[in-house]
Amino acid sequence: VPCGIVDEDTGQLYVTFGSSYKTSDFMVDNLEQWWTSLSITEKQQLENIQIKVDNGPENSGIRRQFLKRMVEFADQTKKSIQLLYFPPYHSKYNSIERCWGILERHWNGTLLRNAQTMLAWVKTMTWKGLNPIVKLSKKVYQKGISLTKKEMKEIEKRLERNPHLPKWDILIRPS
């Protein structure tokens, strides 16, 4: 199960392959890994974190566990996080989708018999002249984790939804 992050400023691609399920927790854990990989200077230079999201089931703007984890991530980083969602059928504008297309062409016809072979191939692709940073996560993620309506009310208080695009533009400020 892949999770990709493209830093649009530097062109660096970060790819983590999971060995269980693609869940909200898997997605946010990968954001946390990306954050810890940045230098102190890089973290200080970021005024806020803008994340363009594909609106999949594990990271939609109504997914309770995802939003809870993103609020926690904002508190951890001490940065405002803006979630910008692509509308359905607009994946051609999503740079991570273009990365997946390049990867598919790169390993076209290769027998990906095991994780090591797959990871080795991903490491040799390039995106904007850079090789991706590739990891394998062996953590097992549980599906179906959710919050109660009461718990979600507290999370919703932390979300600033754009009044014109409430499903597509969400700002989370650190506490």
Side-chain angles (χ1 to χ4, degrees):
V1 178
C3 176
I5 299 170
V6 176
D7 184 326
E8 291 184 341
D9 294 332
T10 66
Q12 184 62 64
L13 170 62
Y14 301 81
V15 180
T16 301
F17 285 91
S19 47
S20 73
Y21 300 106
K22 187 176 185 181
T23 66
S24 300
D25 291 320
F26 175 63
M27 306 292 279
V28 180
D29 283 354
N30 285 294
L31 282 169
E32 289 174 348
Q33 282 184 356
W34 162 79
W35 179 255
T36 60
S37 75
L38 299 179
S39 70
I40 292 170
T41 304
E42 289 172 312
K43 290 176 183 176
Q44 289 172 343
Q45 289 174 345
L46 286 174
E47 290 181 31
N48 59 33
I49 301 171
Q50 187 180 74
I51 302 173
K52 296 176 183 170
V53 192
D54 68 2
N55 217 353
E58 64 283 332
N59 57 12
S60 78
I62 59 170
R63 180 72 178 189
R64 294 174 179 184
Q65 180 66 8
F66 179 72
L67 294 171
K68 172 187 176 264
R69 290 288 312 274
M70 291 305 297
V71 166
E72 293 169 354
F73 183 56
D75 292 345
Q76 173 193 339
T77 61
K78 308 273 189 265
K79 303 287 181 184
S80 292
I81 297 174
Q82 184 178 24
L83 300 172
L84 297 172
Y85 288 91
F86 288 98
Y89 309 108
H90 283 75
S91 59
K92 64 187 170 206
Y93 300 112
N94 187 343
S95 53
I96 196 64
E97 295 297 338
R98 292 194 296 278
C99 291
W100 298 142
I102 290 169
L103 176 59
E104 286 178 16
R105 281 193 302 277
H106 178 68
W107 68 19
N108 186 27
T110 303
L111 293 176
L112 303 172
R113 295 181 180 186
N114 54 47
Q116 287 69 33
T117 303
M118 180 183 62
L119 296 173
W121 269 95
V122 176
K123 289 177 183 177
T124 62
M125 74 170 276
T126 58
W127 172 256
K128 300 203 174 189
L130 300 171
N131 294 103
I133 296 169
V134 182
K135 296 186 183 207
L136 175 64
S137 169
K138 293 189 177 186
K139 182 175 179 179
V140 176
Y141 289 93
Q142 299 299 314
K143 291 171 40 174
I145 296 174
S146 187
L147 281 68
T148 64
K149 287 182 180 181
K150 182 180 178 183
E151 292 170 315
M152 192 55 197
K153 277 187 178 182
E154 292 303 309
I155 298 299
E156 276 292 337
K157 290 177 185 176
R158 299 282 308 277
L159 308 178
E160 297 176 27
R161 295 179 182 271
N162 181 315
H164 302 291
L165 299 166
K167 290 170 44 177
W168 311 105
D169 183 355
I170 303 170
L171 182 64
I172 305 168
R173 296 185 196 276
S175 63

